[in-house]
Amino acid sequence: MAIIELQQVGYRVKDKQILQKISFSVEKNDFLTLVGPSGIGKSTILKLAANLISPTEGKILYLKQNITQLDPIKYRRAVSYCFQQPALFGKTVKDNLIFPYQIRKKPVNQSHLTDLLEQVDLPANFLNKEITALSGGEKQRVALIRNLIFLPKVLLLDEVTTGLDEQSKCIVHQLIKAIYEQGVTIIQVTHDQSEINSATNIIQIQKDGIKK
């Protein structure tokens, strides 16, 4: 059964057609990689699937339901979007990692937070580190595990390894693999040739639709 399905999706801003005739389905526990030239609309597809923007043509289904008819908060908890440029807030790493608990009105599980930090090769005392002191790779790792404190059904990854050094990239790859093995469906956009070479399910985005 498809968990996400795009049916003849198009997206237009004023007189500029950014996407048209995009149709594909993603089965549960798929790992789909979207490729194509810069500016073709790959990131737009992820934003549409995350319900951050709405298609101007066609529709997007989640478990056979049009996402426009679903509670947006519940949907975004099920389908989680991770930005290319990590957006952290507050003062410390802890401010970011306790936020998912706060919005759900649940007690903070400190050991779970430290376990997640360890998975991305960061020490437990990293919770108290100020976000202004983080490297780009550290920011991306914190942003990613913030999305994974409560595992989503679908994880949308928008070029999350762009600009990372090889060590950080390897750590992120290991985490993504571990999350996928826990049953999370993943849709990623990448220009990284090593990620494309290792991908098993690829859709190429073109101006007039897709090429599988």
Side-chain angles (χ1 to χ4, degrees):
M1 177 182 180
I3 190 167
I4 295 277
E5 186 174 358
L6 280 70
Q7 297 181 348
Q8 293 294 301
V9 168
Y11 185 69
R12 175 186 289 269
V13 177
K14 295 183 179 179
D15 61 345
K16 184 178 181 181
Q17 189 77 36
I18 298 172
L19 289 171
Q20 60 179 335
K21 298 179 181 177
I22 301 295
S23 295
F24 64 85
S25 61
V26 184
E27 299 296 313
K28 287 184 179 180
N29 203 213
D30 267 358
F31 194 134
L32 176 64
T33 300
L34 304 181
V35 302
S38 295
I40 203 70
K42 303 182 299 298
S43 293
T44 300
I45 290 173
L46 291 192
K47 290 174 183 174
L48 288 164
N51 201 19
L52 298 177
I53 55 177
S54 299
T56 49
E57 298 101 31
K59 58 185 177 180
I60 300 173
L61 306 181
Y62 173 72
L63 296 175
K64 302 299 182 183
Q65 291 184 280
N66 193 319
I67 66 173
T68 60
Q69 299 171 354
L70 301 175
D71 181 292
I73 293 176
K74 291 181 179 179
Y75 178 74
R76 288 172 189 152
R77 289 177 182 175
V79 180
S80 184
Y81 179 92
C82 198
F83 291 83
Q84 178 180 346
Q85 297 297 328
L88 302 183
F89 51 80
K91 186 177 181 181
T92 66
V93 169
K94 186 175 182 178
D95 291 336
N96 286 267
L97 298 188
I98 66 173
F99 180 70
Y101 293 100
Q102 291 173 331
I103 60 174
R104 291 169 175 81
K105 298 181 180 179
K106 292 188 175 183
V108 175
N109 185 335
Q110 191 83 14
S111 64
H112 184 46
L113 295 185
T114 55
D115 285 345
L116 285 170
L117 286 171
E118 288 175 4
Q119 286 184 51
V120 293
D121 201 29
L122 297 173
N125 61 10
F126 208 81
L127 284 171
N128 299 317
K129 192 160 185 176
E130 295 189 4
I131 59 173
T132 54
L134 303 184
S135 69
E138 289 169 342
K139 286 180 181 178
Q140 189 59 279
R141 283 181 263 170
V142 170
L144 186 54
I145 63 174
R146 184 180 61 196
N147 283 56
L148 302 175
I149 289 170
F150 294 91
L151 279 183
K153 302 295 184 183
V154 181
L155 183 61
L156 307 173
L157 301 173
D158 192 358
E159 299 195 66
V160 296
T161 60
T162 297
L164 299 187
D165 59 45
E166 286 304 312
Q167 181 184 5
S168 293
K169 189 183 294 187
C170 182
I171 291 167
V172 169
H173 284 162
Q174 289 173 351
L175 178 62
I176 293 170
K177 181 175 183 287
I179 294 305
Y180 172 66
E181 289 173 349
Q182 291 181 60
V184 176
T185 302
I186 294 175
I187 308 173
Q188 72 168 353
V189 164
T190 184
H191 282 104
D192 187 291
Q193 196 58 49
S194 67
E195 293 173 357
I196 294 171
N197 290 343
S198 63
T200 56
N201 189 6
I202 294 177
I203 289 179
Q204 184 173 341
I205 308 302
Q206 303 178 135
K207 283 186 177 180
D208 57 351
I210 67 171
K211 178 181 178 181
K212 291 190 178 181

